[in-house]
Amino acid sequence: MNTKTLTLPEAQQQVDQWITTIGVRYFSELTNMAILTEEVGELARIMARKYGDQSFKKSDEEYNLADEMADVLWVLICLANQTGVDLNEAFLKNMAKKTARDKDRHQNNEKLK
């Protein structure tokens, strides 16, 4: 098992390096958005069968939850690179926004107790 820790900026750089050397070029943003949707669907299929009410079919037996999550992350990173989004900065801002907005909301939610 690889135990190397990777930061978001490092992940963005590694994906870009792979795309520009091995992958030749990025697919268009619209194509990558469609691929992201496809990958999320594959992840959803596994989740519905492993944690939901659906049963696995013979063709589902080789599922790999971690690999499907990594596929989603890969394409999301591609889209971030293509559109100039710094995922580290965006994530930190998003966490601050959620913290300010929801600091008491979930603690006071009777449904979560």
Side-chain angles (χ1 to χ4, degrees):
M1 171 183 246
N2 187 349
T3 58
K4 183 180 187 311
T5 300
L6 196 64
T7 66
L8 284 171
E10 289 169 338
Q12 285 192 250
Q13 189 277 327
Q14 279 193 15
V15 167
D16 188 65
Q17 183 178 4
W18 189 95
I19 291 290
T20 56
T21 58
I22 296 169
V24 179
R25 67 170 179 82
Y26 284 92
F27 296 139
S28 71
E29 294 86 349
L30 187 56
T31 297
N32 274 336
M33 187 64 227
I35 293 169
L36 178 62
T37 302
E38 180 182 318
E39 295 297 350
V40 169
E42 291 173 10
L43 176 59
R45 180 180 182 86
I46 291 170
M47 296 296 290
R49 282 155 179 75
K50 184 166 182 163
Y51 300 103
D53 299 322
Q54 287 192 317
S55 60
F56 282 96
K57 298 176 185 174
K58 186 81 170 153
S59 61
D60 296 324
E61 290 178 357
E62 298 285 328
Y63 76 90
N64 184 328
L65 186 62
D67 190 53
E68 293 303 335
M69 288 184 180
D71 284 344
V72 169
L73 182 58
W74 170 272
V75 182
L76 184 63
I77 289 172
C78 286
L79 283 167
N81 286 351
Q82 290 176 279
T83 58
V85 172
D86 176 334
L87 285 174
N88 188 69
E89 181 182 331
F91 184 80
L92 292 173
K93 285 180 179 178
N94 191 269
M95 285 296 296
K97 174 188 78 175
K98 283 175 174 42
T99 300
R101 179 189 67 203
D102 300 331
K103 64 183 184 330
D104 298 320
R105 179 174 158 228
H106 298 299
Q107 296 295 325
N108 297 327
N109 184 345
E110 289 300 319
K111 293 179 182 178
L112 297 177
K113 295 182 181 186

